[in-house]
Amino acid sequence: MGDSTLTLNPNILDLPDELLMRIFGYVKVYTGKYNLYLSDFKHGNVDAVKRLRLTCRRFCKTSSHLLLYYVTVGMTHASLAHLEEVPRHPSVYRGVRTIWWSPGFFYNSILAHNVQAFAAYLASKLRRSIRDWGRAIELQKAVPLTEAWDEVAARRIHLNCAHHRIISRAHEEYLQLYEDQMDISKSLAQAIASAMTRMPTVTWVEIDD
């Protein structure tokens, strides 16, 4: 019998998806512990995963699950919209294990509905900050603001005053954020439960207080 030579031309795309997914897990390079608390989880090299996804459709399909380990939910409509969007992408949500509720700053009802109280609160915070500042240029800007906001707290807003207009715009934004917070609080639990139903890979919810 004559000699026969078997010529192999190995190609990474010949590997099954399961192996590609395991290989790409090393691209992200997990370090440390990540099965206890979310704060213990090291995010790894997400930028490398993003570049990997651009290589070809197959690589995108088998590496997209490395983009997200958790989805953060806060007290904003944008946050809830993101939570609603992620389950629409199965290749991405396959890597999600946790929904992380991070409420952040809670807006106060009294400050939201009383511009005088809001002005007094901000003037007090600014006054405390002034004590920590030492540069004259910062003091020159801060002191007039504090005095103007004290006037608002004691009387009413005069929109012909630039400093008063600043506090007026800030209060309008604060009121809107407060109303958003109250609106979201009514549907947050349902939104998280719905997301967990649509993302069966999620095994727990972590609350950051």
Side-chain angles (χ1 to χ4, degrees):
M1 294 180 62
D3 294 337
S4 61
T5 303
L6 180 62
T7 303
L8 296 177
N9 295 305
N11 190 317
I12 192 173
L13 294 178
D14 293 332
L15 296 174
D17 287 353
E18 292 78 9
L19 281 180
L20 288 177
M21 293 172 71
R22 295 197 64 173
I23 291 170
F24 295 153
Y26 290 101
V27 173
K28 189 169 183 179
V29 189
Y30 291 120
T31 58
K33 53 186 178 179
Y34 52 90
N35 289 321
L36 297 178
Y37 297 98
L38 193 61
S39 56
D40 295 325
F41 179 73
K42 305 300 182 182
H43 303 284
N45 193 349
V46 175
D47 288 338
V49 175
K50 291 179 179 179
R51 292 192 295 269
L52 183 64
R53 294 176 72 242
L54 298 176
T55 305
C56 65
R57 291 182 179 178
R58 183 91 183 280
F59 280 21
C60 181
K61 174 186 174 184
T62 51
S63 65
S64 293
H65 67 288
L66 299 169
L67 288 174
L68 294 176
Y69 181 79
Y70 63 89
V71 179
T72 303
V73 184
M75 302 296 286
T76 65
H77 287 297
S79 173
L80 286 187
H82 179 61
L83 181 64
E84 174 72 19
E85 180 67 21
V86 172
R88 296 175 182 171
H89 304 276
S91 61
V92 174
Y93 84 63
R94 280 184 303 177
V96 178
R97 298 292 181 269
T98 303
I99 293 177
W100 181 22
W101 180 42
S102 180
F105 183 80
F106 281 99
Y107 298 93
N108 183 280
S109 174
I110 295 176
L111 299 183
H113 294 101
N114 188 319
V115 67
Q116 278 78 25
F118 181 73
Y121 170 74
L122 287 190
S124 176
K125 288 192 64 175
L126 184 55
R127 192 174 291 107
R128 288 196 299 269
S129 298
I130 289 175
R131 300 192 193 106
D132 300 328
W133 295 342
R135 288 176 290 183
I137 188 171
E138 292 175 333
L139 294 176
Q140 290 173 1
K141 296 178 181 179
V143 171
L145 275 175
T146 306
E147 294 174 349
W149 294 352
D150 282 334
E151 291 179 5
V152 173
R155 301 180 185 84
R156 300 182 64 181
I157 288 181
H158 300 289
L159 294 180
N160 60 334
C161 173
H163 295 327
H164 284 205
R165 289 196 298 271
I166 291 174
I167 201 71
S168 178
R169 289 194 299 269
H171 184 254
E172 290 174 1
E173 293 180 10
Y174 188 95
L175 175 59
Q176 183 60 58
L177 290 170
Y178 170 79
E179 292 176 345
D180 288 348
Q181 174 181 280
M182 297 305 296
D183 181 51
I184 290 169
S185 65
K186 300 174 183 177
S187 58
L188 180 62
Q190 181 179 352
I192 292 177
S194 174
M196 293 184 71
T197 301
R198 297 167 61 200
M199 295 188 292
T201 56
V202 174
T203 56
W204 66 348
V205 176
E206 180 164 332
I207 300 175
D208 181 8
D209 57 357

